[in-house]
Amino acid sequence: MAPTLIYIFGGTGDLAHRKLIPALFNLYIDGYLPGPFTIVGVGRSKIEESTYRAQMRKSIKEFARRSELTTKYWSKFSKNITFQTHDLNSDKSYKEMAAGWKAFQEEHGKESQIIFYLSVAPQLAPVIAKRLHGHRLCHDPKRSRMVFEKPFGHDLASAQELNVMLGKLFREEQIYRIDHFLGKETVQNILALRFANALFEPIWNANYIDHVQITAAETVSIESRGSYYESSGALRDMVQNHVLQMLCMVAMEAPISFEADEIRNKKLDVLQALRHMRPEDVHRYAVRGQYGPGWSKGKKAAGYRQEKAVDPQSNVETFAAVKFYVDNWRWKDVPFYVRTGKTLAAKETLITVQFRPAPDYAFPDEAAHTWRPNRLVIGIAPKMDIRLRFQAKQPGPSMTLRPVDMVFSYASRDEEDCQPEAYETLLQDVIEGNPTLFMRADQVEAAWKAIQPIMEVWGHKPPVDFPNYTPGSWGPEDAEALIARDGFNWATLPEV
Ligand code: NAD
């Protein structure tokens, strides 16, 4: 790996503290960082290098996967961390960066590379990008990259505008649009499960699959992120990116190679095949919800409208459920139900693939009581497992059946420790210049396009029933109706 200089804009922010620096620390322990590397935290505050290092040490102690190794590795790791006080709008700051980059190359050679991680509010990204371009900090496309955090745009038009602007300044291969779900081991494992096994792919289509469900449920409220959430909502915050990306992994065709663009082309095909919703149909395909006040873990919990920095009349949704169709041969008329929300009954992200029921003619009537279709459940987080449900005979004299689960789990403690966090995988890919797990411009736009009709209808038509669910529930009743109308119900993981 080439010597690497990493600038983290927003170096004093929450993401840098909780995820980025701890992830870089773990990469360092594993020997995945380049020989010479320097991490420069960039922020508005006037803080000394020693103070910044002390803050980062505290964050690693608190958040790193192997924080117990802090003492052993810290002194060497920390020598590579420094801080730059920076005013985004001042040329002086970028000149300082250009001088730092020049000195880094002089010391470590012309192979050196530079990475800018924009861990700042999205509205600051264009300012930074223009200045980086103006100061020729990213003029070599092979040796310079920029990472953009989500949200990438606010809707289709703003994402297109941002893509056009960036496209004028940089090459697409320099632009890394992050969706941290794609760095999760369990999400990447979907490709292994589907394409490295002969068992599933032959039946992975409308002939055998009844429907697919994706749940990304959180028990937490919006916490202190009121002002961000007021401009976002569940659809933009979760469905446009993480949920649709999981859907793509389930629905994509087999790639002919693991080349970045090949995988991304196959995912794009899925997004482009999503059935377009007419405005008048949105109410049949999408349900929104907002949590009201209630009780959570024995304590009084505020409703969304009572949260800090939230409009007391806010109509922003904290829950969304949508029924999608992928209009191609493989998925003809197979519904994909997705749901996501805050303050729900359990923290779980899972994908459920339900197969068509086997015919039960030959079995006695009583067997029909417990007859269940086969189901493959992929636990993404926090449970990381794959369970295949099938019918088995209950031991005893009669032909009584019961559904049983065959479980593959990553759960053993040792294995969990060995698993890189999503941000580790993704940062390593940025350093190595592998964009496979990052969103290309056309993918981001296709994802916005898929939810644009829902956003427009919801934007024009205020909800009449908000708040419509209580903390600790599974969301509004309409979400149950969305799936029950088709004869199904939402799957959750069994309590173990
Ligand atoms: P944050 O508010 O904690 O940090 C933002 C950083 O930007 C701070 O260091 C702040 O000093 C800096 N900043 C703000 N205005 C500035 C200005 N005018 N000039 C210079 N610096 C300025 O935010 P965060 O939670 O760290 O999130 C950063 C980005 O990552 C956002 O785009 C967010 O949507 C995204 N993100 C965060 C998380 C998370 O878990 N925190 C998860 C996913 C995506």
Side-chain angles (χ1 to χ4, degrees):
M1 275 180 284
T4 305
L5 176 59
I6 305 172
Y7 281 96
I8 303 179
F9 286 92
T12 55
D14 176 69
L15 188 69
H17 274 283
R18 284 194 309 111
K19 298 288 182 189
L20 304 181
I21 298 289
L24 287 163
F25 180 66
N26 280 320
L27 288 174
Y28 178 73
I29 292 176
D30 288 334
Y32 289 140
L33 288 188
F37 74 94
T38 299
I39 301 165
V40 188
V42 177
R44 284 175 295 181
S45 335
K46 283 200 169 65
I47 46 177
E48 294 297 323
E49 181 182 83
S50 56
T51 312
Y52 186 65
R53 285 183 181 172
Q55 288 173 358
M56 291 304 128
R57 186 179 203 277
K58 196 163 162 275
S59 299
I60 286 171
K61 273 286 235 194
E62 197 175 345
F63 300 113
R65 184 162 56 89
R66 285 170 299 180
S67 57
E68 71 282 4
L69 296 176
T70 312
T71 312
K72 185 170 173 196
Y73 289 97
W74 174 253
S75 72
K76 277 191 182 159
F77 177 71
S78 65
K79 288 197 178 85
N80 303 291
I81 298 183
T82 181
F83 185 78
Q84 181 185 320
T85 304
H86 181 90
D87 175 354
L88 289 182
N89 290 304
S90 140
D91 278 334
K92 185 172 165 281
S93 300
Y94 296 92
K95 280 183 186 156
E96 204 177 311
M97 279 180 184
W101 175 218
K102 188 164 174 271
F104 191 86
Q105 291 177 93
E106 277 165 9
E107 188 177 350
H108 301 297
K110 289 285 172 210
E111 293 300 301
S112 305
Q113 54 180 10
I114 186 163
I115 291 166
F116 295 96
Y117 199 118
L118 277 60
S119 179
V120 289
Q123 58 274 24
L124 300 177
V127 183
I128 297 174
K130 281 181 195 155
R131 297 281 181 151
L132 292 178
H133 177 259
H135 287 265
R136 292 181 57 76
L137 276 154
C138 295
H139 69 287
D140 183 343
K142 292 213 163 16
R143 297 194 295 132
S144 56
R145 280 158 225 143
M146 277 144 294
V147 185
F148 292 88
E149 262 297 338
K150 78 157 209 189
F152 194 89
H154 183 71
D155 53 17
L156 178 59
S158 57
Q160 280 170 333
E161 197 182 316
L162 190 51
N163 279 332
V164 167
M165 192 274 279
L166 292 176
K168 285 183 185 153
L169 306 179
F170 312 109
R171 298 253 193 93
E172 178 61 29
E173 71 255 31
Q174 291 177 276
I175 303 169
Y176 284 63
R177 300 172 192 81
I178 210 160
D179 182 334
H180 73 270
F181 260 57
L182 291 177
K184 286 182 188 286
E185 281 295 310
T186 36
V187 174
Q188 292 177 68
N189 193 40
I190 298 171
L191 291 188
L193 178 84
R194 287 193 53 200
F195 302 126
N197 295 293
L199 271 183
F200 299 111
E201 205 44 28
I203 56 169
W204 206 261
N205 55 54
N207 295 334
Y208 296 94
I209 292 177
D210 214 19
H211 72 276
V212 177
Q213 299 181 22
I214 300 175
T215 292
E218 293 179 279
T219 50
V220 291
S221 66
I222 56 146
E223 298 175 307
S224 55
R225 299 170 69 214
S227 58
Y228 161 74
Y229 213 83
E230 276 288 272
S231 64
S232 172
L235 198 64
R236 287 184 169 91
D237 189 43
M238 292 294 289
V239 178
Q240 187 270 344
N241 36 67
H242 310 319
V243 172
L244 281 180
Q245 282 305 304
M246 286 190 280
L247 190 152
C248 286
M249 298 291 260
V250 175
M252 67 189 264
E253 296 299 319
I256 53 165
S257 76
F258 273 71
E259 292 289 312
D261 275 334
E262 169 62 5
I263 303 261
R264 299 196 290 182
N265 287 343
K266 291 288 189 282
K267 288 187 188 168
L268 180 65
D269 286 346
V270 175
L271 292 169
Q272 288 179 335
L274 289 175
R275 187 175 298 173
H276 180 71
M277 281 177 216
R278 293 178 308 173
E280 59 271 32
D281 292 334
V282 163
H283 70 283
R284 289 198 293 125
Y285 288 103
V287 169
R288 56 183 153 169
Q290 187 191 74
Y291 61 87
W295 293 85
S296 172
K297 294 181 187 151
K299 283 191 184 156
K300 258 193 166 170
Y304 177 70
R305 290 174 175 182
Q306 288 79 53
E307 302 279 13
K308 216 171 134 202
V310 169
D311 176 355
Q313 306 295 321
S314 176
N315 286 326
V316 169
E317 81 286 352
T318 58
F319 176 97
V322 185
K323 175 162 83 163
F324 288 106
Y325 284 97
V326 181
D327 282 339
N328 60 18
W329 269 69
R330 184 191 281 265
W331 297 112
K332 183 179 180 305
D333 294 334
V334 175
F336 285 71
Y337 304 95
V338 308
R339 65 174 172 170
T340 183
K342 298 280 185 190
T343 73
L344 296 183
K347 177 178 167 60
E348 61 186 30
T349 301
L350 57 129
I351 299 170
T352 304
V353 178
Q354 177 135 332
F355 293 89
R356 295 195 183 282
D360 60 0
Y361 316 122
F363 285 83
D365 287 349
E366 59 269 27
H369 294 311
T370 50
W371 199 263
R372 297 281 183 280
N374 296 125
R375 184 180 256 191
L376 183 74
V377 182
I378 304 168
I380 303 292
K383 283 224 179 74
M384 299 193 286
D385 53 21
I386 296 172
R387 29 187 89 225
L388 183 61
R389 182 173 82 182
F390 56 92
Q391 305 277 24
K393 181 180 174 299
Q394 176 112 31
S398 62
M399 182 45 92
T400 310
L401 301 178
R402 63 167 182 187
V404 291
D405 275 353
M406 196 160 67
V407 184
F408 157 70
S409 173
Y410 285 94
S412 97
R413 189 74 205 120
D414 287 352
E415 282 185 5
E416 253 177 37
D417 280 353
C418 296
Q419 280 176 32
E421 285 251 357
Y423 275 97
E424 289 173 45
T425 307
L426 295 170
L427 279 165
Q428 193 184 343
D429 284 352
V430 178
I431 292 167
E432 290 177 0
N434 177 1
T436 311
L437 298 178
F438 295 81
M439 308 276 285
R440 220 170 43 193
D442 47 5
Q443 283 178 289
V444 177
E445 290 177 17
W448 279 118
K449 209 169 173 182
I451 64 160
Q452 189 74 22
I454 310 176
M455 289 193 307
E456 280 171 12
V457 170
W458 287 1
H460 287 119
K461 212 171 161 199
V464 288
D465 59 349
F466 273 11
N468 60 357
Y469 74 97
T470 49
S473 69
W474 276 109
E477 280 176 13
D478 285 353
E480 302 298 327
L482 177 80
I483 191 165
R485 271 201 299 273
D486 299 339
F488 311 124
N489 49 31
W490 291 105
T492 53
L493 280 179
E495 301 276 333
V496 187

